[in-house]
Amino acid sequence: MAAATAPSQVVVFDIDDTLYLERDYVRSGFAAVGAWARRSLGVPDLADRAWAAFEAGTRSTIFDAALEQTGIEVTPELIARLVSCYREHQPDITLLGDARTCLDGLDVAAGTTAVAVITDGPLASQSAKANALRLANWSQNVIFTESLGPGFGKPHLKAFQLVEERLGVPGERCVYI
């Protein structure tokens, strides 16, 4: 069997706010948390409250703020459960139209161009995003920096070097979007 020929160029994408809008993931995550809160806490509108806090600019304490409005006692255990639900949900996200057009327009089938993905963030969340976006349709080279260990998130070179090594293409023939 002949060795596979390396592509002549590689287009490397990020996922968040490049291939889809991060706010769509946030809304999807709040919906998952809201469904859990309805079932487990009897709170019918936690997703709406969380979204309103997000829209108001709250970031690291969204669930605290949303829960406080409902009168539910905010505990570290409850916040951890909500964060876990958020990070582990199956997201309702889709590729942006221009991202799909770009991916479809790359001549991957001819073997001259390869697609890779490098993404930061919690492994469960980023894996679920990659699955929801069906990134395997365009690339078998998805690198989740969290799986490389602490300190290897972007802009560390390790993930970029892995793309070069796996695909046999030098850095000057790669573009990162």
Side-chain angles (χ1 to χ4, degrees), residues 34-164:
W36 182 87
R38 248 187 321 281
R39 288 188 312 273
S40 302
L41 303 174
V43 176
D45 60 351
L46 192 65
D48 294 334
R49 292 175 187 273
W51 184 253
F54 177 80
E55 291 272 275
T58 304
R59 291 300 180 265
S60 61
T61 58
I62 290 173
F63 295 137
D64 302 70
L67 284 169
E68 285 170 1
Q69 293 173 8
T70 69
I72 298 283
E73 180 184 0
V74 178
T75 65
E77 296 79 20
L78 180 55
I79 296 300
R81 177 65 187 104
L82 297 179
V83 169
S84 177
C85 181
Y86 178 88
R87 287 186 177 163
E88 295 172 4
H89 86 282
Q90 294 304 308
D92 182 15
I93 57 174
T94 58
L95 283 172
L96 291 167
D98 59 348
R100 178 176 294 284
T101 299
C102 178
L103 286 164
D104 286 343
L106 294 172
D107 198 8
V108 175
T112 58
T113 302
V115 172
V117 175
I118 298 175
T119 186
D120 284 340
L123 185 57
S125 300
Q126 297 310 101
S127 294
K129 291 173 189 179
N131 288 335
L133 297 171
R134 296 178 175 82
L135 295 184
N137 291 349
W138 291 276
S139 176
Q140 298 302 310
N141 299 290
V142 179
I143 297 173
F144 302 99
T145 61
E146 186 172 270
S147 69
L148 302 177
F152 291 115
K154 295 177 287 182
H156 194 281
L157 294 178
K158 186 170 184 173
F160 298 95
Q161 292 167 333
L162 281 172
V163 168
E164 292 175 33

Side-chain angles (χ1 to χ4, degrees), residues 8-60:
S8 59
Q9 58 191 7
V10 180
V11 180
V12 185
F13 290 93
D14 186 12
I15 292 179
D16 302 316
D17 282 332
T18 301
L19 296 178
Y20 82 100
L21 294 178
E22 178 77 15
R23 69 186 291 115
D24 294 344
Y25 177 80
V26 170
R27 188 179 287 269
S28 173
F30 290 165
V33 169
W36 182 87
R38 248 187 321 281
R39 288 188 312 273
S40 302
L41 303 174
V43 176
D45 60 351
L46 192 65
D48 294 334
R49 292 175 187 273
W51 184 253
F54 177 80
E55 291 272 275
T58 304
R59 291 300 180 265
S60 61

